Amino acid sequence: MASDPVTLNEFLTERLGAGGVVDDPNDLLRYITDWAGDHRGKPLLVARPRTTEEVAEIVAHCHCHGIPMVAQGGHTGLVGGAQPDAERPELVISLERLSRIREIDPLNFTISVDAGCVLQSVKDAAMEHDCDFPLSLGAQGSCQIGGNVSTNAGGLNVLRHGMMRQLVLGLEVVLPDGRVWNAMHALHKDNRGYDIKQLFIGAEGTLGIVTGAVLKLTPRAQATRTALVAVPDVAAALALYGQARRSCCDLLSAFELIPRACLELAFEAAPDLPDPFDTVYPVYVLLEVAASGSVDLDAMIEHLFEHGTTAGMVLDGVLAGSDAQAERLWQIRERMVEGQQLRGEHLRTDIALPISSLGDFFHTASRAMAARSPETMVIAYGHIGDGNLHFNLLPPADLDLAAKKTLLHDLEAALFSLVDDYHGSISAEHGIGRVKQTSFLNGLDATERELFEGIKALFDPDELMAAGRILPRTR
Amino acid sequence: MASDPVTLNEFLTERLGAGGVVDDPNDLLRYITDWAGDHRGKPLLVARPRTTEEVAEIVAHCHCHGIPMVAQGGHTGLVGGAQPDAERPELVISLERLSRIREIDPLNFTISVDAGCVLQSVKDAAMEHDCDFPLSLGAQGSCQIGGNVSTNAGGLNVLRHGMMRQLVLGLEVVLPDGRVWNAMHALHKDNRGYDIKQLFIGAEGTLGIVTGAVLKLTPRAQATRTALVAVPDVAAALALYGQARRSCCDLLSAFELIPRACLELAFEAAPDLPDPFDTVYPVYVLLEVAASGSVDLDAMIEHLFEHGTTAGMVLDGVLAGSDAQAERLWQIRERMVEGQQLRGEHLRTDIALPISSLGDFFHTASRAMAARSPETMVIAYGHIGDGNLHFNLLPPADLDLAAKKTLLHDLEAALFSLVDDYHGSISAEHGIGRVKQTSFLNGLDATERELFEGIKALFDPDELMAAGRILPRTR
């Protein structure tokens, strides 16, 4: 039998050499567990190709012998998409050894990279040429470009620079039959028919394996200012956002909503972290402006503070006076995620709404959750400038794990139904994978589902590539 | 026979009322001739629906009876895509009566519109809410949003705000079988699986008829500064671009290359237009910066001038002191296109290259053209910040029309072959339509062609919708 691990192992070892195959159960562990430790699968084996050609050879072999496969990057996905299937063992194709920066062209503001490059290394390479690669995520030290493309990653700077989709100019993809689709174009404009690359971006590896990308760079920021602003409520944070877009001339690179409860979680995770204010405020906004040339950013932010104070939108504010102080403000944003993790079982969501509906949704959803489970704690923070709310729920501590899971499952369904009412999305940036599939399919109309299925069938009629992600397997 | 004009006319008149069908040969004229007067077709009839439902009904009828159809916007396309086929008569579905602004949401920075809205009217509506819709084209007074989406329109502000693709958040499309795909999402982030709307953007109407769109707005610019800068050569213009991106903090909204020959053409078309300088310079750059808040744009540009002068990139410069003066500078850019038109038969191209290759390409291509036809005049201008060159050719005036056509055809082939050598695109923003099809297919590899054909077959297996555009008809 072709998908017999022994035969496959022989093929891979012959093609890739000794370091190219992982079959030791201990070594396999890191390829089957994701960041949150939530998802584990059962791989046939792990292949570690070094070049696009090797990826193509492996895929062609799998295609020929009907072996299911799944590509894997930095294991930082949040929807279980890259973990091997537990029921139908898949060959994991790890891109980690395709980690070459192929070319940097600072005048064209582009960088061309292998899919296995870690995001941080791409950012570092850009910086050496006085450029920035603006994608910024908590996971940037380990996530890989191929994963960023395949999940259309978002993060902190979407407000200004867009999601990964807006940053990709060219792609190289190994199709599910092993053919290489080479469109590594370093062109800022290209209107030659259907923009095929858009299908691979955000496809979670279901249509092909991204092996290379040409990415857009921006001029390196020479100055950055970070501020934490206290506001009376979410509505004020939204009004301040509208003003900030204008006052800051779209130099706004982050605008994060942080209710007080999130600050408390950050202090739980990092007791040494100081509260930047003497007073406790209900809601905070962490904002950042950045400029590559000489603009008076301090004056810009002070003007925003003054205007906001006069209009009753701003209660208090602190403008970081040094990089270290800015770093401490960002620590609040990062450590609160850790604090949430420390509380154990909880529900993470990733909702998008029209920005103008965020305030209303926030209150309606909070009330709806409280009505169903008064003891459950709402931890709702997010990228306001993108309309993206991580409306998370911490169940009462005294429930046992099974009861927590059941409760969270019910609350999620109620929450997602509200998201629908508000014409929102149940996945702003995390994707669908397997975790969100049921909710996703519930919201998909028949026409759209037919188009989705048609696209999957066009690229991968045998359902061998990342099957079961986004859409369910049909065989 | 179902596609008999009489039967079709009856159906359309019954559904759409008297104003809904155009069959008078004189009235038909404006639906079969495009902006440049180059392309004429032979329509069955013209249908003028008022709503998405009416479009869907017409399309369903055509699908059912095998009637070929083509959607039409503002007749400003440059590749003959929207003109009805001359060989196989098509029903023209004009979107001109779908011209409703559906909703403006200034806090969400979105506007929701019918596809038949004229671009300028969308820009005006945005402005009433203190926002800008940044797409800016010469044709904005007559082109329509549906056409802008279907051609992925570019224009003057792509450098800062991207092409139409970057400005579309949601779409409503009537599929070739008459079903309506409604994805009018006003969400800045949405990662629910394949991003189907990307396929319709730039598809030139071959996969469905766009009937509505949700578009991104930006804060309204409170201040704009326009400058014309004289530079020694194209290489200096490129170096200045790299510096300007940095010095102007990405507030640069236009950066246009205008060689001296283009100025002369503008003066031919508008003899009253003053030369902004006393001296004749070889190459100019028209640049614009814009800001929604209070930033010292004058200081920004002066700093760029100074830096550029010291570095030998800038020979002279004029910063418009008033709106009227800025308008006169922009007139140069607009009237030169008119001047080119007045010279009669000529070759218009729309090339994209990596920005860093533009200088080298400019000289190599100019030399190659001169070697083939020393009398042919190169008129190469363009959106440098996008790597987009309109490398146009004026043949010798003393040739007859047939000889001009033959010469331009040969020169185009030589030029496109060079574009290939430089890894460029033969269509940066105009699309493929019918005019560029042969050149496009020559450059398409087998894998890519198969994917293109698969996508067309998935959406329009009967080849009834805008057939023969982008890909050739197979039946």
Side-chain angles (χ1 to χ4, degrees):
Chain A
M1 189 184 131
S3 65
D4 166 6
V6 178
T7 319
L8 183 60
N9 201 335
E10 277 168 12
F11 166 80
L12 292 172
T13 306
E14 190 198 316
R15 294 291 193 226
L16 307 178
V21 193
V22 182
D23 56 358
D24 180 281
N26 281 326
D27 295 340
L28 279 176
L29 213 58
R30 82 178 198 88
Y31 298 94
I32 61 177
T33 315
D34 72 359
W35 168 81
D38 287 352
H39 307 286
R40 282 155 181 273
K42 194 171 68 177
L44 271 174
L45 287 169
V46 175
R48 301 171 69 238
R50 286 158 299 196
T51 62
T52 301
E53 294 65 37
E54 286 183 355
V55 176
E57 265 192 275
I58 298 168
V59 172
H61 179 87
C62 289
H63 175 251
C64 195
H65 295 91
I67 303 169
M69 51 201 143
V70 65
Q72 205 175 71
H75 316 269
T76 63
L78 294 167
V79 291
Q83 270 44 61
D85 199 319
E87 290 160 24
R88 188 178 73 151
E90 295 165 323
L91 172 66
V92 170
I93 302 177
S94 168
L95 279 297
E96 63 192 340
R97 296 208 294 176
L98 271 87
S99 55
R100 205 164 37 100
I101 305 275
R102 299 190 193 177
E103 195 190 353
I104 301 189
D105 182 345
L107 183 54
N108 196 38
F109 288 98
T110 49
I111 187 167
S112 167
V113 302
D114 280 355
C117 284
V118 168
L119 172 54
Q120 186 63 54
S121 71
V122 174
K123 294 172 80 76
D124 292 345
M127 210 161 266
E128 279 174 30
H129 292 261
D130 210 23
C131 292
D132 281 333
F133 179 60
L135 192 75
S136 291
L137 313 174
Q140 66 196 33
S142 46
C143 65
Q144 294 170 11
I145 293 299
N148 297 149
V149 171
S150 296
T151 59
N152 185 25
L156 298 167
N157 288 347
V158 173
L159 165 60
R160 177 149 171 200
H161 299 289
M163 298 181 74
M164 191 62 170
R165 187 180 301 283
Q166 272 74 52
L167 301 171
V168 174
L169 293 181
L171 280 186
E172 179 190 77
V173 179
V174 174
L175 300 175
D177 60 7
R179 284 184 298 174
V180 178
W181 178 70
N182 181 349
M184 289 287 279
H185 308 304
L187 302 172
H188 293 272
K189 274 174 155 177
D190 189 9
N191 256 351
R192 284 175 291 176
Y194 311 136
D195 194 354
I196 303 275
K197 73 172 176 294
Q198 302 294 344
L199 283 176
F200 298 111
I201 302 172
E204 305 184 17
T206 59
L207 305 180
I209 298 179
V210 173
T211 51
V214 182
L215 307 171
K216 263 165 91 170
L217 301 176
T218 57
R220 181 175 174 179
Q222 299 293 337
T224 301
R225 290 293 180 280
T226 308
L228 190 70
V229 185
V231 298
D233 50 29
V234 176
L238 292 169
L240 184 67
Y241 162 74
Q243 184 59 43
R245 282 287 302 275
R246 292 181 157 83
S247 300
C248 300
C249 301
D250 268 346
L251 296 178
L252 202 61
S253 51
F255 198 94
E256 297 288 309
L257 177 78
I258 307 180
R260 178 70 202 181
C262 297
L263 241 71
E264 305 285 355
L265 280 179
F267 301 148
E268 274 183 33
D272 295 343
L273 206 60
D275 188 328
F277 301 106
D278 296 330
T279 312
V280 168
Y281 293 110
V283 176
Y284 306 82
V285 166
L286 180 62
L287 66 88
E288 195 170 88
V289 291
S292 60
S294 59
V295 168
D296 190 344
L297 295 179
D298 290 331
M300 200 174 260
I301 291 192
E302 306 224 330
H303 174 262
L304 179 66
F305 276 17
E306 275 164 36
H307 186 287
T309 307
T310 311
M313 299 183 282
V314 170
L315 300 175
D316 205 344
V318 51
L319 174 60
S322 65
D323 286 357
Q325 224 183 321
E327 173 57 24
R328 277 198 296 280
L329 294 180
W330 275 107
Q331 281 288 315
I332 296 174
R333 175 68 178 80
E334 278 153 36
R335 303 306 284 270
M336 74 193 202
V337 179
E338 214 178 305
Q340 170 184 276
Q341 202 76 6
L342 289 175
R343 291 279 192 107
E345 187 69 21
H346 61 280
L347 176 71
R348 289 191 306 268
T349 70
D350 170 41
I351 289 165
L353 296 153
I355 297 166
S356 46
S357 307
L358 279 175
D360 194 22
F361 177 86
F362 187 92
H363 293 297
T364 307
S366 297
R367 275 197 305 271
M369 296 301 110
R372 282 164 183 269
S373 169
E375 316 283 291
T376 290
M377 190 175 159
V378 171
I379 301 292
Y381 55 91
H383 318 299
I384 279 206
D386 317 323
N388 184 189
L389 215 53
H390 296 302
F391 197 100
N392 299 350
L393 299 174
L394 299 182
D398 54 1
L399 292 186
D400 65 26
L401 188 61
K404 281 180 180 174
K405 281 184 190 287
T406 308
L407 173 66
L408 293 176
H409 186 269
D410 293 348
L411 292 176
E412 184 185 59
L415 188 69
F416 283 179
S417 156
L418 266 177
V419 171
D420 249 12
D421 296 344
Y422 279 82
H423 307 293
S425 167
I426 60 157
S427 182
E429 56 179 15
H430 294 171
I432 301 300
R434 287 187 295 228
V435 174
K436 299 256 177 81
Q437 190 177 73
T438 307
S439 310
F440 162 67
L441 294 174
N442 287 342
L444 199 64
D445 77 24
T447 302
E448 194 152 53
R449 181 154 182 168
E450 203 182 291
L451 292 176
F452 269 59
E453 288 170 347
I455 286 166
K456 173 68 176 172
L458 177 64
F459 284 85
D460 182 23
D462 302 328
E463 292 187 43
L464 291 175
M465 193 161 270
R469 285 78 170 178
I470 302 180
L471 294 172
R473 278 200 274 131
T474 64
R475 57 178 82 189
Chain B
M1 188 185 130
S3 65
D4 167 6
V6 179
T7 318
L8 182 60
N9 201 336
E10 276 167 14
F11 167 79
L12 293 172
T13 306
E14 191 198 314
R15 294 291 195 226
L16 307 179
V21 192
V22 182
D23 55 358
D24 180 281
N26 282 326
D27 295 340
L28 279 176
L29 213 58
R30 83 179 197 86
Y31 297 94
I32 60 177
T33 316
D34 73 358
W35 169 82
D38 287 352
H39 307 287
R40 282 154 182 274
K42 193 171 68 176
L44 271 173
L45 287 169
V46 176
R48 300 170 69 237
R50 286 156 301 195
T51 62
T52 301
E53 294 66 35
E54 286 184 354
V55 175
E57 265 191 273
I58 298 168
V59 171
H61 178 88
C62 290
H63 175 250
C64 196
H65 295 92
I67 302 169
M69 52 201 144
V70 64
Q72 205 177 70
H75 315 268
T76 63
L78 294 166
V79 290
Q83 270 43 62
D85 198 318
E87 290 160 24
R88 187 177 73 150
E90 294 166 322
L91 172 66
V92 170
I93 303 178
S94 168
L95 278 296
E96 62 191 341
R97 296 207 295 175
L98 271 88
S99 56
R100 204 164 37 99
I101 304 277
R102 298 189 193 177
E103 194 189 354
I104 301 189
D105 182 345
L107 183 54
N108 196 37
F109 287 97
T110 48
I111 187 167
S112 167
V113 302
D114 281 354
C117 284
V118 168
L119 173 53
Q120 186 62 54
S121 71
V122 174
K123 293 171 81 76
D124 292 344
M127 211 162 265
E128 280 174 29
H129 292 261
D130 210 23
C131 290
D132 282 332
F133 179 60
L135 192 75
S136 291
L137 314 173
Q140 66 196 35
S142 46
C143 65
Q144 295 170 12
I145 294 299
N148 297 149
V149 171
S150 296
T151 59
N152 185 26
L156 299 166
N157 288 347
V158 173
L159 165 59
R160 177 149 170 201
H161 300 289
M163 297 183 74
M164 191 62 170
R165 186 180 302 282
Q166 272 74 53
L167 301 171
V168 174
L169 294 180
L171 280 186
E172 179 189 77
V173 179
V174 174
L175 300 175
D177 60 7
R179 283 183 298 173
V180 178
W181 178 70
N182 181 347
M184 289 287 278
H185 308 304
L187 302 172
H188 292 273
K189 274 175 154 178
D190 188 9
N191 257 352
R192 285 175 291 175
Y194 311 137
D195 194 355
I196 304 275
K197 72 171 177 295
Q198 302 294 345
L199 284 177
F200 298 112
I201 302 171
E204 306 185 17
T206 59
L207 305 180
I209 299 180
V210 173
T211 52
V214 182
L215 307 171
K216 264 165 91 170
L217 302 177
T218 57
R220 181 175 174 180
Q222 299 292 339
T224 300
R225 289 293 179 281
T226 308
L228 190 72
V229 185
V231 299
D233 50 30
V234 176
L238 291 170
L240 184 66
Y241 162 75
Q243 184 58 43
R245 282 288 301 275
R246 293 182 156 82
S247 300
C248 300
C249 301
D250 267 346
L251 297 178
L252 202 60
S253 50
F255 199 95
E256 298 287 309
L257 176 78
I258 308 181
R260 177 72 201 179
C262 297
L263 241 73
E264 306 285 355
L265 279 179
F267 299 149
E268 274 182 33
D272 295 343
L273 205 61
D275 188 328
F277 301 106
D278 295 331
T279 313
V280 168
Y281 293 110
V283 175
Y284 306 83
V285 166
L286 180 62
L287 67 87
E288 195 172 88
V289 291
S292 60
S294 59
V295 167
D296 190 344
L297 296 179
D298 290 331
M300 200 175 260
I301 290 193
E302 307 227 327
H303 175 262
L304 179 66
F305 276 18
E306 275 165 36
H307 187 286
T309 306
T310 311
M313 300 183 281
V314 170
L315 300 176
D316 205 344
V318 51
L319 173 60
S322 66
D323 286 357
Q325 226 183 320
E327 173 57 25
R328 276 197 297 279
L329 294 180
W330 275 108
Q331 280 288 315
I332 296 173
R333 176 67 178 79
E334 278 153 35
R335 304 305 286 270
M336 74 193 203
V337 180
E338 214 177 307
Q340 171 184 275
Q341 202 75 6
L342 289 175
R343 290 280 190 108
E345 187 69 22
H346 61 280
L347 176 71
R348 290 191 306 268
T349 70
D350 169 42
I351 288 164
L353 296 153
I355 298 167
S356 45
S357 307
L358 279 175
D360 194 21
F361 177 86
F362 187 93
H363 293 297
T364 307
S366 297
R367 275 198 305 271
M369 296 301 111
R372 281 162 185 268
S373 168
E375 315 282 292
T376 290
M377 191 173 158
V378 171
I379 301 293
Y381 55 92
H383 319 298
I384 278 205
D386 316 322
N388 183 189
L389 216 52
H390 297 302
F391 196 100
N392 298 350
L393 300 173
L394 299 181
D398 55 1
L399 292 186
D400 66 25
L401 188 61
K404 281 180 180 173
K405 280 183 191 286
T406 307
L407 173 66
L408 293 177
H409 185 268
D410 293 348
L411 292 176
E412 185 186 59
L415 187 69
F416 283 179
S417 155
L418 265 178
V419 171
D420 249 11
D421 295 346
Y422 278 83
H423 307 291
S425 167
I426 60 157
S427 182
E429 56 178 15
H430 294 170
I432 301 300
R434 288 187 295 227
V435 173
K436 299 256 178 80
Q437 191 177 72
T438 307
S439 310
F440 163 66
L441 294 174
N442 287 343
L444 199 63
D445 78 24
T447 302
E448 194 151 52
R449 181 156 182 166
E450 203 181 291
L451 292 176
F452 268 59
E453 288 170 348
I455 286 166
K456 173 68 177 171
L458 177 64
F459 284 85
D460 183 23
D462 302 327
E463 292 187 44
L464 290 175
M465 192 161 270
R469 283 77 171 178
I470 302 180
L471 294 172
R473 278 200 273 131
T474 64
R475 55 179 83 189

